[in-house]
Amino acid sequence: MNPQLLFWVPAVLRIVGVFLVSGVLGYFFGHVVGLVVCIVVLCAILGIQISYLQLLNVWLDHPDSAKLPDGWGSWTDVFSRLYRLRRSDEKHQIELIEWLARFRQAMTLLPDGVVIMDDVLFLEWCNPAAERHLGLQNERDKGMRVTNLIRNPDFMDYIILGRYEQPLTLALKDRKLIMQIIPFENRRQILVTHDATETDRIEMMRRDFIANASHELRTPLTVINGFLEIALMQPNLDARTRTSHLTLMTEQGLRMQNLVEDMLTLTRLESVEFPMRPERVDIHSLMEHIRQEVEALSAGNHVITLDIDGPDVRGSTDELRSAFSNLASNAVRYTPAGGTIAISWQKGVTGPVFAVQDSGIGILPEHISRLTERFYRVDKSRSRETKGTGLGLAIVKHVLLRHAAVLAIESTPGQGSLFKVRFPASAVNQ
Ligand code: ADP
């Protein structure tokens, strides 16, 4: 039925009822009685309406759905509708508060900085990343002008020129920041900051790597090209010279091949597209393989020992073979003939430990922290003479990173070096 009718019908019926009852009383007990009863009842109804109006008035000051009165007559309907309205309002309010909290949390977790400012650059709010990037403090700096907080001439120029469609790159507190102002709504603007220090560092490393790799490849290529030129210009070279040229060219070709192979290995190890697939690594056969390799490389010039007293681990056999073999072959290459090389695999206190100890040339302390950098060599000529690429320890570092293992280097110049790889206890194959 029509809600308007639902409201009016009972009210009209109630008044008609009062008149009827007053009429009946007037008929039996006289007009005066009927009139008095009618007036009294109508006044009572009016009083009730006024009291509910007052209750509604009081409630509107603090409109809490739990404190809404029950009502009488038409008021029951009014209050119940008000109750529903208020409940849905309260629900929306809770949803809005939750949404706002979620939004704030998302903003808090954002790696990029967000500063909300008004049209004249007064700070309204900023997230923790912006606090870190720009040295701001949301609570302390709220209401202050951003140009007074970020005191940087480039930033000032950016604001003055107002070319906000272009980002600004800024060096701030040893960090490289990329900033951009984005106007939004009519009277607000957002300043977004992105910390590009790490990306920049990686980009620089990549450039250095390419420059180093090209430099490394240039030398053997120059040698090969030189001999090829001689062969073209002097076709009648005697057999001995020709053989010696061919041998040198083969050596240089091999050097380039090793270099390219090591570079590919490094790229593969760094790539997220080649995740490690852990398997059970049979330590006995792996160590035996390393021993044979080292003995072949040493060609009987060193005393080599192998000691295995540790459990198998989980990891990539190929990657560990490459890392261990790099460490062991370095020991041979940097130990003069007659020296000793001790390879071991032990239980260790915190987990298995692989160690290679040599009695070789040793390393000065200032070089130790840089040995795992790509193409870092203490003695360039010795490295080249022994077919080193300068990438061996960089490969070791990456393999160990993928196995949560750490490399420790101890060395005394003239006495020898100890390269230790410590695996976590969790690496042990259960
Ligand atoms: P390379 O191919 O030149 O040997 P690596 O990355 O394997 O490259 O090693 C980096 C440098 O560390 C070497 O050039 C060498 O100077 C030094 N080095 C590595 N292992 C030893 C060692 N066992 N004894 C002395 N020096 C070493």
Side-chain angles (χ1 to χ4, degrees), residues 298 301-304 335-341 358-360:
S298 157
N301 286 321
H302 303 90
V303 179
I304 296 161
T335 302
T340 56
I341 291 156
D358 64 52
S359 61

Side-chain angles (χ1 to χ4, degrees), residues 262 326-327 330-335 358 360-363 371-373 375-380 383-384 386-394 411 416-417 419:
D262 276 2
N326 262 310
L327 291 175
N330 276 355
V332 177
R333 292 167 48 228
Y334 297 104
T335 302
D358 64 52
I361 59 173
I363 308 155
L371 292 184
T372 54
E373 284 175 24
F375 298 114
Y376 189 85
R377 298 163 166 121
V378 179
D379 180 350
K380 276 205 166 88
S383 162
R384 294 221 170 95
T386 54
K387 300 194 180 69
T389 59
L391 293 175
L393 291 181
S411 188
S417 313
F419 285 75

Side-chain angles (χ1 to χ4, degrees), residues 18-49:
V18 172
F19 285 138
L20 270 179
V21 172
S22 308
V24 172
L25 287 174
Y27 180 76
F28 285 110
F29 302 105
H31 293 335
V32 179
V33 173
L35 200 62
V36 168
V37 169
C38 182
I39 289 170
V40 168
V41 176
L42 283 179
C43 282
I45 292 176
L46 193 65
I48 291 170
Q49 305 301 325

